[in-house]
Amino acid sequence: MNQADMEHPPGGIAGAEAANGRLVDGRAIEAHYESALRTRRTVPSEQELRAATDRVTADIRLLIPCTERIPAEKRSPQLIGALSDAEHLLLPRDSADGEVGARIRMAHWVHLRALARVCRVLLKQHEAQLRSSLIFNA
């Protein structure tokens, strides 16, 4: 089994340092993407979508440098896909595409959920990398 495919411990690894010196709070990041992926009966409001998208996007931007340090030959297919998806999903979006109301909100919701899935893969890979470094440094 690939390390990236291993389940991370409940609550995640908190306090690990990211490449830019900021701390990675695995519990908070997991809460952000789980909230975005939770099944709802209705599409969230535009304000809720923007706030959740901003949180998950910030999490992804924090995790990308951590996972990019993994040599290409050791990256799982999920990580390769998540990094590729992140590259496309983090491009600025033009909301003036002629769609209105519910269709725009639905597009934002789909976008948020895609970001959340990318975030989940990046966090799991980061935590697996930390576990492996803790094992080898013990």
Side-chain angles (χ1 to χ4, degrees):
M1 176 183 281
N2 189 322
Q3 258 193 350
D5 300 326
M6 294 174 16
E7 287 298 314
H8 59 284
I13 297 175
E17 191 169 322
N20 62 3
R22 289 182 53 203
L23 291 181
V24 173
D25 183 348
R27 290 180 191 97
I29 292 173
E30 184 174 19
H32 294 162
Y33 72 68
E34 288 294 342
S35 173
L37 294 173
R38 194 171 303 124
T39 303
R40 298 172 177 233
R41 291 182 181 259
T42 61
V43 177
S45 72
E46 186 64 29
Q47 183 178 354
E48 290 173 310
L49 284 170
R50 286 185 195 280
T53 301
D54 289 347
R55 284 190 300 270
V56 173
T57 298
D59 294 340
I60 290 171
R61 290 185 191 286
L62 179 65
L63 289 167
I64 285 174
C66 299
T67 55
E68 284 182 331
R69 291 185 291 195
I70 299 168
E73 65 275 4
K74 293 187 177 185
R75 294 179 184 177
S76 70
Q78 292 83 5
L79 177 58
I80 293 166
L83 290 170
S84 175
D85 288 348
E87 183 179 338
H88 299 287
L89 290 167
L90 295 178
L91 292 174
R93 291 176 295 144
D94 182 8
S95 62
D97 60 4
E99 292 183 320
V100 294
R103 289 187 70 194
I104 290 174
R105 267 194 17 242
M106 182 59 76
H108 289 179
W109 189 27
V110 169
H111 183 256
L112 165 62
R113 292 172 60 79
L115 285 169
R117 288 188 293 274
V118 167
C119 190
R120 178 174 51 199
V121 169
L122 294 176
L123 178 62
K124 285 182 180 184
Q125 183 63 54
H126 177 63
E127 290 175 340
Q129 182 182 7
L130 287 173
R131 278 193 303 279
S132 126
S133 69
L134 291 173
I135 291 169
F136 291 119
N137 292 332

